[in-house]
Amino acid sequence: MRVGLLAPMRQELAPLVRRLGLRRAEADTALYVGLAGDIEVVASLTGIGMRAAAAAAERLLDATKLDHLMVVGIAGGVDADQPIGSLIAPEVVVDGSTGREFRPVQLGELAPQGRLVSSDQLVTGRGKAAELKRSGVVGLDMETAAVAAVCGRRGCPWSVFRAISDRVTDQTTDAAVLALAGPDGGGDPGAVARYLLARPWRIVRLLRLAHGTLRATRVAADAAIRACLRLKPA
């Protein structure tokens, strides 16, 4: 059995590579390969956003036959009471721009619940967050629905492992902060320095976001790895 792992940002991919001892594939250095118990694992970075995620899923499915594909990483919360680092297991993933819905073949320990909304549009308003919460949304991201659409076309079962890194109600993320991450989350130290020079009061929020991101990436990676280890080879 071979499982694919897709992570949008470098900091989301890093704990998967480290924990599983993955190595770069000789034939394609964009891929990391190894084992989770008896299960073959192929991992790759997608980059941030729906278009990048769809392209990465297509590339991975073109490169190798997969029995299952997992999306692993962080999510934004819409509920002020959601603990940072809490794992979510959505019953439905929704493309925020089209309303199209996708149902994962969830392999994790949590019972599927709620809706995860994927969109390139960043939600920053508390009023919008409250509206999403009332509609059963448990998290926001910018990639999963795009991967789900590709998997649906290609006939590949998929699941999602996301953990809450920040909440809309905390006002830690906006378009300017997202731009600092760059296309793969690697960031630009110079851009961060210039941002803080103009807004020194935001350093506390950035540090809080960085801490939440680190915690959430570990939780999501651990959950995905546990799911892989419970799978049985065909």
Side-chain angles (χ1 to χ4, degrees):
M1 177 175 283
R2 183 178 296 122
V3 173
L5 303 174
L6 285 178
M9 298 191 295
R10 293 188 182 279
Q11 55 264 52
E12 294 166 306
L13 181 63
L16 296 168
V17 172
R18 184 175 62 252
R19 286 282 311 280
L20 291 171
L22 304 180
R23 65 190 185 281
R24 286 190 183 273
E26 293 181 4
D28 184 348
T29 57
L31 304 180
Y32 293 82
V33 296
L35 294 172
D38 296 323
I39 304 300
E40 293 183 43
V41 173
V42 184
S44 183
L45 193 68
T46 72
I48 297 172
M50 299 285 276
R51 181 176 297 179
E58 294 279 11
R59 286 195 303 270
L60 186 55
L61 289 168
D62 284 342
T64 185
K65 184 182 184 305
L66 296 177
D67 297 289
H68 193 93
L69 182 56
M70 300 179 181
V71 185
V72 187
I74 64 174
V78 297
D79 184 347
D81 294 328
Q82 280 179 295
I84 298 298
S86 58
L87 187 69
I88 61 174
E91 185 176 7
V92 176
V93 173
V94 183
D95 185 323
S97 63
T98 67
R100 187 179 177 190
E101 298 185 354
F102 308 90
R103 291 183 178 271
V105 180
Q106 203 63 25
L107 301 177
E109 300 160 350
L110 297 179
Q113 182 179 5
R115 299 157 68 83
L116 173 68
V117 176
S118 303
S119 173
D120 287 324
Q121 302 302 313
L122 191 66
V123 175
T124 58
R126 290 189 174 96
K128 181 62 175 178
E131 178 186 334
L132 291 169
K133 178 184 174 182
R134 288 193 295 271
S135 68
V137 173
V138 294
L140 306 169
D141 74 19
M142 303 178 76
E143 298 85 18
T144 302
V147 175
V150 171
C151 287
R153 291 196 302 271
R154 303 288 292 264
C156 181
W158 62 279
S159 55
V160 53
F161 295 85
R162 296 272 188 173
I164 300 299
S165 61
D166 64 299
R167 297 164 295 222
V168 175
T169 52
D170 297 335
Q171 300 289 283
T172 52
T173 304
D174 56 24
V177 170
L178 182 63
L180 297 176
D184 64 0
D188 179 347
V192 174
R194 289 190 294 273
Y195 175 85
L196 288 176
L197 186 63
R199 309 167 183 81
W201 61 90
R202 293 298 302 269
I203 190 169
V204 174
R205 291 185 179 181
L206 285 187
L207 289 173
R208 187 185 306 152
L209 178 61
H211 178 75
T213 297
L214 180 61
R215 183 174 180 181
T217 55
R218 290 173 175 170
V219 169
D222 287 348
I225 290 169
R226 288 196 302 271
C228 286
L229 292 172
R230 285 196 302 271
L231 291 172
K232 302 298 181 183

